[in-house]
Amino acid sequence: MKLSDYAFDLPTKLIALHPTPNRDESRLMVVHRKTGKIEHRIFKDVLDYFDDGDVMVVNDTKVFPARLYGNKEKTGADIEVFLLRELNSQYHLWDVLVDPARKIRVGNKLYFGDGELVAEVIDNTTNRGRTIRFLWDGEDEEFYKTVHQLGQTPLPKEIIKRRKVEKEDEERFQSIFAKEVGAVAAPMACLHFTKQLVKRLAIKGVDIVTLTMHISLGTFKTVEVEDLTKHKPDSEQFRIPEKTAQRINEALDAKKKVCAVGSSVMRSLESSVSASGRVKPADAWTDKFIFIPYDFKIPNAYITNFHLPESTLFMTACTFGGYELIMKAYEIAIQEEYRFHTYGDAMLIL
């Protein structure tokens, strides 16, 4: 398979700018791999496809307000700094992306808010990448509190270029499972769940277990090579607790459904497989890129959003569901005006 095999025309109007009023009332397309049947439901109907003993695996990462707007010293030029990850908490060193990159050089000081935060650029890492050090003498707790106060919800660029961040985004860009701080992008598929739906699944005997993958912008990294084997994804950190691995393996042994909720869960599970084809507990990094051909070892069901053309997320869906069937499903989704991307609708592949 080549990059161009994953191209399709997506009308801009189908990229969701806002979430549905209720999380579990987004639309749900159900795709059956064995029969090719495609159903149109709403997300809360996911309950109908799982039974006692089945397992859903979700990502409990929590998004932090990673986008900071500030000014450059002396000139006062407006700048944007996107926090990617903390390199050293003692010295408050961060990997960041900057814009406009040409104006931000090593040695520059950057000011945020009314000077509550000041950072110094200490290294160039890529064209837009920099390493910065926040000049902070206070308590760590106060530092992170200040970052959260000044930072903005890191909506994807496809949304931010068409509207401003709103108060609602603080809550809706987090899943109800959010616990472990570290992501700069939301686990899309998890955004459809409500506490009420989780309770109804539990009553039916469906277990929801968690793992953590701190989603980075690497998940959305543009594929720039036609030969997919030459695409180099960024590494992302993940952790699979022992109790999560144990419950998944019990379900597999009992021939029950194990559903990966989102590509971050899918990549985490497939990155920690034992020789016997079972999940191992892990605390590691992965740069796994799933595209055709690929033999899945762990999940036998998959919940995912509708993704952008030529994205690695779309490629993962095609790999799991079958290229021709998922291409057909996307063609129907566009005809039926399903909503795409982070705040969009969902697909369940069985």
Side-chain angles (χ1 to χ4, degrees):
M1 302 294 292
K2 300 175 295 184
L3 176 63
S4 55
D5 292 325
Y6 295 95
F8 62 88
D9 292 326
L10 177 64
T12 303
K13 68 177 183 178
L14 296 186
I15 297 177
L17 297 184
H18 294 88
T20 54
N22 299 308
R23 291 177 184 267
D24 60 6
E25 291 180 356
S26 54
R27 297 169 74 184
L28 175 70
M29 179 184 285
V30 184
V31 179
H32 299 263
R33 291 181 289 177
K34 289 184 179 179
T35 64
K37 181 181 178 181
I38 293 176
E39 301 178 83
H40 303 284
R41 308 290 296 270
I42 61 174
F43 192 79
K44 64 176 65 174
D45 294 335
V46 76
L47 192 72
D48 297 338
Y49 299 91
F50 293 88
D51 297 306
D52 184 30
D54 291 339
V55 173
M56 287 185 172
V57 190
V58 300
N59 186 357
D60 68 1
T61 190
K62 187 172 185 178
V63 181
F64 66 93
R67 186 176 276 117
L68 289 168
Y69 291 101
N71 302 97
K72 185 181 169 185
E73 66 171 340
K74 297 180 182 178
T75 66
D78 292 338
I79 51 102
E80 176 187 323
V81 172
F82 195 100
L83 304 174
L84 294 177
R85 64 189 180 100
E86 191 172 34
L87 300 173
N88 185 300
S89 59
Q90 181 180 356
Y91 297 104
H92 300 298
L93 293 176
W94 286 75
D95 255 345
V96 304
L97 294 177
V98 297
D99 188 39
R102 68 183 185 280
K103 293 184 178 180
I104 303 177
R105 302 186 176 93
V106 173
N108 287 158
K109 283 192 173 68
L110 313 175
Y111 295 83
F112 305 96
D114 292 324
E116 294 100 318
L117 275 182
V118 180
E120 182 180 8
V121 182
I122 63 172
D123 194 17
N124 291 333
T125 53
T126 63
N127 183 35
R128 289 184 57 215
R130 302 288 187 273
T131 299
I132 66 173
R133 179 178 63 233
F134 285 101
L135 308 178
W136 183 268
D137 293 328
E139 297 292 328
D140 287 351
E141 184 178 341
E142 281 300 311
F143 169 76
Y144 296 114
K145 183 179 178 180
T146 303
V147 170
H148 276 254
Q149 288 173 342
L150 296 178
Q152 195 176 88
T153 303
L155 296 181
K157 61 181 180 181
E158 288 79 12
I159 295 177
I160 204 71
K161 66 185 179 184
R162 294 165 63 194
R163 73 162 175 88
K164 293 182 179 180
V165 172
E166 299 168 4
K167 184 67 177 176
E168 178 192 36
D169 295 311
E170 290 182 25
E171 186 244 337
R172 291 303 300 272
F173 203 65
Q174 300 281 12
S175 81
I176 64 166
F177 310 110
K179 181 182 176 184
E180 303 293 337
V181 178
V184 299
M188 299 183 197
C190 292
L191 296 181
H192 302 285
F193 285 82
T194 62
K195 291 180 180 179
Q196 292 80 7
L197 179 56
V198 169
K199 287 179 181 177
R200 293 176 67 194
L201 286 164
I203 290 170
K204 198 170 182 180
V206 179
D207 286 333
I208 294 182
V209 298
T210 63
L211 57 75
T212 306
M213 174 181 271
H214 293 314
I215 303 168
S216 73
L217 291 185
T219 295
F220 307 98
K221 185 177 180 180
T222 302
V223 181
E224 298 178 337
V225 289
E226 181 72 358
D227 181 355
L228 298 181
T229 63
K230 295 181 179 178
H231 176 63
K232 303 300 181 187
D234 295 341
S235 291
E236 291 172 300
Q237 188 176 12
F238 74 100
R239 185 176 67 86
I240 303 175
E242 187 171 347
K243 63 180 181 180
T244 293
Q246 180 180 345
R247 183 64 194 92
I248 292 170
N249 293 335
E250 288 171 354
L252 291 174
D253 291 341
K255 301 191 183 307
K256 296 291 185 177
K257 288 191 183 78
V258 173
C259 181
V261 181
S263 64
S264 60
V265 171
M266 178 70 80
R267 288 184 293 116
S268 296
L269 294 178
E270 291 293 302
S271 296
S272 189
V273 182
S274 69
S276 59
R278 293 295 181 261
V279 180
K280 299 183 295 185
D283 188 351
W285 292 74
T286 182
D287 61 356
K288 181 171 282 293
F289 172 31
I290 297 175
F291 60 97
I292 297 171
Y294 184 83
D295 179 24
F296 290 89
K297 305 296 192 303
I298 306 300
N300 48 38
Y302 186 32
I303 294 174
T304 186
N305 272 32
F306 286 91
H307 301 295
L308 301 183
E310 297 185 335
S311 65
T312 59
L313 306 176
F314 177 48
M315 294 173 193
T316 299
C318 287
T319 308
F320 190 83
Y323 178 77
E324 292 183 0
L325 180 56
I326 299 303
M327 289 297 287
K328 176 185 175 183
Y330 267 60
E331 183 179 342
I332 293 171
I334 292 171
Q335 292 171 357
E336 296 293 326
E337 296 194 341
Y338 275 73
R339 289 151 45 90
F340 281 65
H341 209 24
T342 300
Y343 278 149
D345 295 316
M347 173 184 283
L348 168 62
I349 307 174
L350 295 169

